Amino acid sequence: MRVLVTGAAGGVAGLLLPQLAGEHELRLTDLRAPQPVGPAEVVPGDLADRGFAERLCAGVDAVVHLAGNPRPNEGWDRLLGPNVEVPTRVLAAAAQAGVRRVVLASSVHVLGGYRPPAARPASGPIRDSWPPHPCCRYGATKVFGEAAARVYADSGALSVVCLRLGGCRPVPPTRGWFDTWLGPADLGQAVRRALWADVRFGAYTITSANTRAVFDLDAARRDLGYAPVLGSEAYRDSAPDGPSTLCRGGQG
Ligand SMILES: NC(=O)c1ccc[n+]([C@@H]2O[C@H](COP(=O)([O-])OP(=O)(O)OC[C@H]3O[C@@H](n4cnc5c(N)ncnc54)[C@H](O)[C@@H]3O)[C@@H](O)[C@H]2O)c1
């Protein structure tokens, strides 16, 4: 498959690209030239530029859209461009180019408002079937990305799988990451499955199989065949204490 990966110089791409290289024909883009892992076409530029986004999408089968601002504490000024304007540009360009599938990097922060059990509509873990409930502005921008993707999917223009990624790191940096940690092999598996899955549109929480998980993975298991193989509990003795990756609210 010919796959365009945006945000290819970023942290998530650094964990993902070695797993896609060799399996797909890759076109990599970012503001600065990303370091390719294996053979790849590298096309740096700004995705806010409509013409650039259109040129990038021409001739690819799928787009893995990772470009964005991943920092939950940032304000609107720094979030709206990368997380609202850029995904709309990419979705529009992909639809125009006849791209078959877009895999959109969303975040567990779209459901982070359910973190306190008292905020949940039902007992048990947080489910993808519940309405979005972001814990922060960042989460709100990711809700927008999913909504924009759904408009394109519903119009029949393209198919989009939104992955509500947990905290992507080689290992959980602290115990505060134990509930949302997403290890590299599970990230790679989720993206690979999202590229092929037989769904028109969906938004799926993706974490590793963490014992202390607050998110339910049933939707991803059912629709994508996602079967995580890693778990944060393996780091119980080595990871230091630290705060949760989910916000505690209070942004307004
Ligand atoms: N890191 C995580 O744990 C995590 C968790 C959940 C979701 N996500 C999402 O995954 C995606 C990747 O996250 P990351 O941690 O790799 O972020 P990152 O900041 O390391 O990488 C994002 C890349 O996007 C690029 N970018 C931003 N604006 C651009 C533009 N206008 N044109 C072209 N490139 C642009 C940046 O240059 C950067 O290299 C983001 O959408 C983020 O919200 C990340």
Side-chain angles (χ1 to χ4, degrees), residues 7 9-13 30-32 45-48 66-71 82 86 105-107 138 142 165-169:
V12 172
D30 204 303
L31 290 171
R32 59 200 155 98
D46 187 349
L47 285 164
L66 302 176
N69 181 345
R71 286 170 284 279
V86 164
S106 186
S107 165
Y138 166 73
K142 291 297 183 181
L165 303 176
C168 303
R169 291 291 185 279

Side-chain angles (χ1 to χ4, degrees), residues 156-181:
L158 44 78
S159 159
V160 189
V161 174
C162 307
L163 298 180
R164 297 168 166 172
L165 303 176
C168 303
R169 291 291 185 279
V171 300
T174 69
R175 288 184 195 170
W177 289 61
F178 274 21
D179 51 1
T180 67
W181 180 61

Side-chain angles (χ1 to χ4, degrees), residues 7 14 27 38 41 43 49 52 68 77 170 190 197 202 216:
R27 180 178 292 171
E41 186 187 356
V43 192
D49 175 340
F52 178 67
D77 286 352
D216 179 84

